[in-house]
Amino acid sequence: MNIDKAYNIWADQYDTNSNKTRDLDTKSTIETLNKFEFSSVIELGCGTGKNTIFLLKKADEIIGLDFAQEMLNKAKNKIKDERVEFRKADLTAEWNIENNYADLITCSLVLEHIENLNFVFNQANKKLKNGGLFFISELHPFKQYSGSKAKFETENGTQELETYVHHISEYLEVANENGFELLELKEWFDEENKSGIPRLIGITLLKKYCGQHRI
Ligand SMILES: C[S@@+](CC[C@H](N)C(=O)[O-])C[C@H]1O[C@@H](n2cnc3c(N)ncnc32)[C@H](O)[C@@H]1O
């Protein structure tokens, strides 16, 4: 099923249905980002604002981008805070945000829906300040190899979404080509199956300093 259409339908149950991937992402996002300070944040594919609530504990301003209006409506109804602006935008087109705006960009459970990682990483580099962080939390490619993908139940049966597999090497190569260095790579497992296939991969990248200021 087409991605934005699917999320417009899924929006009604996204926060409430049983979803191990969503719940583990909440944990990985909080545990990873609690270690850092940040002020200006761009949240890519913010959805219903599940992680915005945590980000607001530290941030002074957040721009949440998503192309599914119904997901954004849920976020807007849930979070009424003048520090947050939820905007309808397709991440595969130029992001309408000033360059060097953010000290943190987060991207949770979105990249499996985006074929061309290079465009997203290129935009992320432009919108981040030097030394800014790009945090990615994604369905682990090992999980994808075993057939997992975003899906939800409707009265007409299971709806599977359009997805793309990104290998770990691809994430790291695209990051390097777009001026990022790897700060941390973590794999997240289901609590009840720690010796199984990891469910999520968490990648924290640092935008390198340019020219003489390179660290
Ligand atoms: C699985 S949800 C994750 C939502 C939120 N980040 C979270 O962790 O709960 C994926 C979100 O990415 C959005 N998305 C996927 N592809 C997108 C694109 N090309 N542009 C903007 N949003 C996109 C979907 O509309 C959806 O809200």
Side-chain angles (χ1 to χ4, degrees):
M1 183 187 273
N2 167 287
I3 302 160
D4 52 341
K5 185 172 171 215
Y7 277 106
N8 278 325
I9 299 169
W10 195 352
D12 240 1
Q13 38 161 316
Y14 184 83
D15 284 337
T16 49
N17 68 0
S18 157
N19 184 336
K20 288 184 183 176
T21 302
R22 175 201 63 206
D23 296 344
L24 190 58
D25 173 75
T26 305
K27 178 179 154 83
S28 73
T29 300
I30 294 174
E31 283 187 21
T32 305
L33 295 180
N34 250 337
K35 299 191 289 261
F36 300 102
E37 295 306 316
F38 44 83
S39 163
S40 311
V41 180
I42 302 172
E43 201 185 343
L44 306 179
C46 57
T48 61
K50 174 194 109 229
N51 292 335
T52 320
I53 295 167
F54 157 72
L55 294 169
L56 273 170
K57 296 197 165 124
K58 293 191 165 204
D60 297 315
E61 44 187 319
I62 300 176
I63 298 173
L65 304 178
D66 203 292
F67 68 179
Q69 187 62 53
E70 293 303 326
M71 295 292 273
L72 286 172
N73 289 346
K74 291 278 174 196
K76 286 179 186 168
N77 285 334
K78 203 159 56 186
I79 300 167
K80 302 203 185 294
D81 189 307
E82 59 188 19
R83 291 172 295 160
V84 187
E85 189 191 339
F86 292 111
R87 290 190 196 165
K88 187 165 191 284
D90 185 345
L91 301 171
T92 65
E94 203 81 21
W95 306 348
N96 187 18
I97 295 174
E98 65 185 278
N99 289 348
N100 306 309
Y101 163 81
D103 47 30
L104 172 67
I105 296 181
T106 71
C107 186
S108 278
L109 310 178
V110 180
L111 296 179
E112 74 167 313
H113 300 306
I114 292 185
E115 187 170 19
N116 181 359
L117 292 187
N118 193 57
F119 181 82
V120 171
F121 280 58
N122 178 272
Q123 287 289 294
N125 186 284
K126 285 188 179 150
K127 305 306 168 190
L128 273 175
K129 297 175 177 146
N130 281 341
L133 297 177
F134 184 21
F135 171 65
I136 294 158
S137 171
E138 197 50 56
L139 190 65
H140 200 294
F142 296 174
K143 203 79 182 160
Q144 294 187 299
Y145 305 154
S146 74
S148 277
K149 50 162 63 182
K151 59 175 184 291
F152 64 102
E153 300 301 326
T154 68
E155 55 192 18
N156 301 320
T158 305
Q159 302 295 322
E160 287 197 338
L161 280 72
E162 226 175 289
T163 54
Y164 304 93
V165 174
H166 299 299
H167 309 294
I168 297 176
S169 56
E170 183 186 354
Y171 285 115
L172 299 183
E173 269 168 41
V174 175
N176 186 44
E177 283 163 7
N178 284 284
F180 290 102
E181 65 184 54
L182 180 65
L183 269 191
E184 185 178 88
L185 189 152
K186 279 197 77 166
E187 291 168 311
W188 297 83
F189 296 81
D190 291 336
E191 201 57 52
E192 70 282 5
N193 191 10
K194 295 263 189 209
S195 56
I197 297 175
R199 180 172 291 278
L200 295 182
I201 186 161
I203 302 173
T204 309
L205 303 168
L206 178 78
K207 175 175 168 176
K208 290 185 211 170
Y209 285 79
C210 302
Q212 295 181 331
H213 301 297
R214 196 180 183 290
I215 50 171

